[in-house]
């Protein structure tokens, strides 16, 4: 029986110091209730991380996980590991993903690493967000090990307000994202136990048996991943988010290299799919920087979408536009090209970093011109928002059939 990654320590007391022994002296009923709420929030965040990684951890499995932890000790790493593995994994294919997510979420290190973290699975009382001070890393400038509470805080923090160490940690977590994809029916067939008659294989089988009646052979359509075309705005107004969006695109390209195309958009459209196929995310970012000529420039989304529509890539694909919608020129051409794009794309998803602000309203001319043709209008300001975007791309959605513009889903 393998050991779960990392080591466990005793949960700290309310004053932040490790508790001595396992006695409950000095704990109040209010403290127990607060601890239970904190533990539930942390474990629910872990379930969301598994979903984003492609593990089918639905609501019923999540409830079973929490019920199992109620009978065990959530401060013991081994109990948390096996409770989750036995309730959240649907089959053997989920175990490797579960191990990677468990190691990253609870100890900040890869599964099987020799270095073991001395921190507990659950930091019951967090003294400060992520570091000793807001945005502070370790002495050498690197991000501290990401315990559960730190990762949960980091998941929902706006990328524009992160320190350099926190950005590196988010980049590391994005590199582990499983970019699963919506499936579509292919024209090609595969042998199957149910489906339509495969006349060619049936006749060959009969010939092999000297013309004697043979078993009927059946076939069914193959499933293929739906293609995703992602356009990342690298203009000046997106400077705080462009790197994270490109790292998210790298995760998609790494997961499905044949079904992903990525373009940068500023004052011109640049295909960067080949550069993002480097396995190392940092090397991929350096390769993109070398080929993108319009970093932190203006935005001409209307002209760039017109150039994109001259290519065969968007037809039948899910088109993801990562932009704040600040159009340098008039907004009417953007609306015209979005209308054309909606007629040939399977779906259009617009990820706007500013939508994560509760006070945000889509009032800019570019967004107002584009929204009638957007199927899903989502946020893109944090790690949690990008995880939700990955889940959205893995879900089967009906193809848009509206004419004259539709309505975006928030």
């Amino acid at each position: 029986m393998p050991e779960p990654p990392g080591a466990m320590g005793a949960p700290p007391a309310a004053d932040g110091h490790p508790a001595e022994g396992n006695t409950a002296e000095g704990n109040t009923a209010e403290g127990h209730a607060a601890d239970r709420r904190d533990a539930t929030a942390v474990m629910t965040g872990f379930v969301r991380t598994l979903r984003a990684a492609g593990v089918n951890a639905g609501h019923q499995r999540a409830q079973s996980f929490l019920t199992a932890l109620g009978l065990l000790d959530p401060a013991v790493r081994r109990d948390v590991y096996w409770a989750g593995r036995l309730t959240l994994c649907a089959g053997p294919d989920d175990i490797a993903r579960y191990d990677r997510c468990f190691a990253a979420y609870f100890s900040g290190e890869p599964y099987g690493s020799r270095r073991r973290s001395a921190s507990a699975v659950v930091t019951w009382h967090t003294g400060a967000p992520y570091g000793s001070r807001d945005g502070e890393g370790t002495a050498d400038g690197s991000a501290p090990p990401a315990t559960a509470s730190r990762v949960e805080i980091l998941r929902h923090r706006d990328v524009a307000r992160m320190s350099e160490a926190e950005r590196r940690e988010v980049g590391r977590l994005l590199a582990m994202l499983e970019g699963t994809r919506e499936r579509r029916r292919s024209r090609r067939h595969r042998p199957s136990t149910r489906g339509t008659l495969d006349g060619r294989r049936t006749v060959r089988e009969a010939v092999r048996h000297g013309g004697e009646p043979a078993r009927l052979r059946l076939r069914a359509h193959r499933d293929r991943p739906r293609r995703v075309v992602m356009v990342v705005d690298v203009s000046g107004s997106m400077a705080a988010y462009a790197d994270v969006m490109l790292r998210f695109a790298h995760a998609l390209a790494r997961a499905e290299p044949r079904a992903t195309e990525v373009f940068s958009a500023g004052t011109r459209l640049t295909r960067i799919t080949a550069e993002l196929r480097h396995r190392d995310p940092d090397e991929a970012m350096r390769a993109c920087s070398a080929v993108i000529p319009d970093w932190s420039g203006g935005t001409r989304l209307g002209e760039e979408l017109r150039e994109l529509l001259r290519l065969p890539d968007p037809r039948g694909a899910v088109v993801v536009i990562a932009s704040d919608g600040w159009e340098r020129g008039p907004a009417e051409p953007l609306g015209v090209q979005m209308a054309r794009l909606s007629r040939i794309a399977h779906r259009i998803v617009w990820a706007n970093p500013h939508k994560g602000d509760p006070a945000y309203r889509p009032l800019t001319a570019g967004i107002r011109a584009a929204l009638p043709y957007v199927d899903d209008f989502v946020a893109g300001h944090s790690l949690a928002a990008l995880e939700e975007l990955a889940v959205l791309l893995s879900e089967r959605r009906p193809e848009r059939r509206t004419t004259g513009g539709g309505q975006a889903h928030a």
Side-chain angles (χ1 to χ4, degrees), residues 303-387:
E303 295 182 16
E304 286 152 357
L305 287 182
R306 182 173 60 182
E307 186 176 347
L308 178 66
L309 287 166
R310 294 172 181 167
L311 305 173
D313 302 279
R315 186 170 298 277
V318 178
V319 179
V320 181
I321 302 174
S323 174
D324 55 3
W326 283 94
E327 182 74 340
R328 189 173 71 174
E332 290 77 10
L334 175 59
V336 171
Q337 303 308 321
M338 287 292 296
R340 291 180 57 201
L341 182 61
S342 69
R343 290 193 289 268
I344 67 170
H346 177 70
R347 269 195 301 152
I348 301 177
V349 180
W350 192 298
N352 189 330
H354 301 307
K355 192 177 183 297
D357 186 350
Y360 171 76
R361 297 294 181 270
L363 301 178
T364 61
I367 287 292
R368 293 177 63 183
L371 271 183
Y373 309 100
V374 173
D375 295 281
D376 297 283
F377 187 49
V378 300
H381 68 297
S382 66
L383 177 61
L386 294 178
E387 290 172 353

Side-chain angles (χ1 to χ4, degrees), residues 23 45 51 69 105 121 250 270 318 322 334 359 384 405:
T23 63
R51 289 175 187 164
L69 285 179
Y105 191 86
V121 168
H250 173 262
T270 306
V318 178
L334 175 59

